[in-house]
Amino acid sequence: MWVVSTEDKTVASTWGASIHLKAGEPRQVGDDFGLLCLQEGCTEVKEGEVSAMKPAPVQEVVEEVVVEEEVVVEESSPDFNGMTKVQLEEYGRTIGIELDRRKKKSALIEELEAASS
């Protein structure tokens, strides 16, 4: 049996099977599903009419690819004196150094300057 729906619709049976019908596209289903589709508002299409029905036009999706170039800017040495010990520790982790915050701030700055040069 061929059926067609006027809107996108999913028809489910009590035995767990389901089908998805697209609007205006004829679909061949078994007689049991055909009856369920008719109960849900679909219409039956005769086999001779199926070939005469035009499939829904396919919309072509065009994607525009944008390539962004990253500008590499040389980072100057950050102002360590204006940073807190926590900020110094976080910065140290970004460059691969683990700092001990129990030390004085000046000692932490010396370690960072030694590692960055």
Side-chain angles (χ1 to χ4, degrees):
M1 172 184 293
W2 286 87
V3 293
V4 67
S5 175
T6 56
E7 57 188 23
D8 286 354
K9 168 181 306 201
T10 300
V11 179
S13 69
T14 57
W15 56 89
S18 66
I19 59 169
H20 182 73
L21 301 171
K22 293 185 180 178
E25 290 185 15
R27 174 104 185 242
Q28 186 174 17
V29 295
D31 290 339
D32 51 353
F33 255 110
L35 293 175
L36 289 174
C37 292
L38 294 176
Q39 289 174 349
E40 293 292 323
C42 298
T43 55
E44 184 176 359
V45 180
K46 302 296 178 194
E47 289 204 31
E49 298 173 5
V50 172
S51 60
M53 293 185 81
K54 294 182 181 177
V58 177
Q59 295 179 351
E60 185 176 326
V61 178
V62 178
E63 290 186 30
E64 184 175 325
V65 178
V66 178
V67 178
E68 295 182 16
E69 292 183 20
E70 292 186 26
V71 178
V72 179
V73 178
E74 270 190 45
E75 293 184 20
S76 60
S77 178
D79 179 25
F80 295 132
N81 289 323
M83 298 170 83
T84 65
K85 284 179 154 185
V86 174
Q87 291 171 330
L88 290 171
E89 182 183 35
E90 289 173 359
Y91 177 77
R93 287 182 183 147
T94 62
I95 61 171
I97 299 173
E98 188 63 37
L99 298 175
D100 186 1
R101 284 190 296 174
R102 294 176 291 185
K103 294 182 181 179
K104 291 184 177 182
K105 183 177 178 179
S106 59
L108 298 178
I109 292 172
E110 287 176 11
E111 287 183 44
L112 287 173
E113 287 176 344
S116 63
S117 60

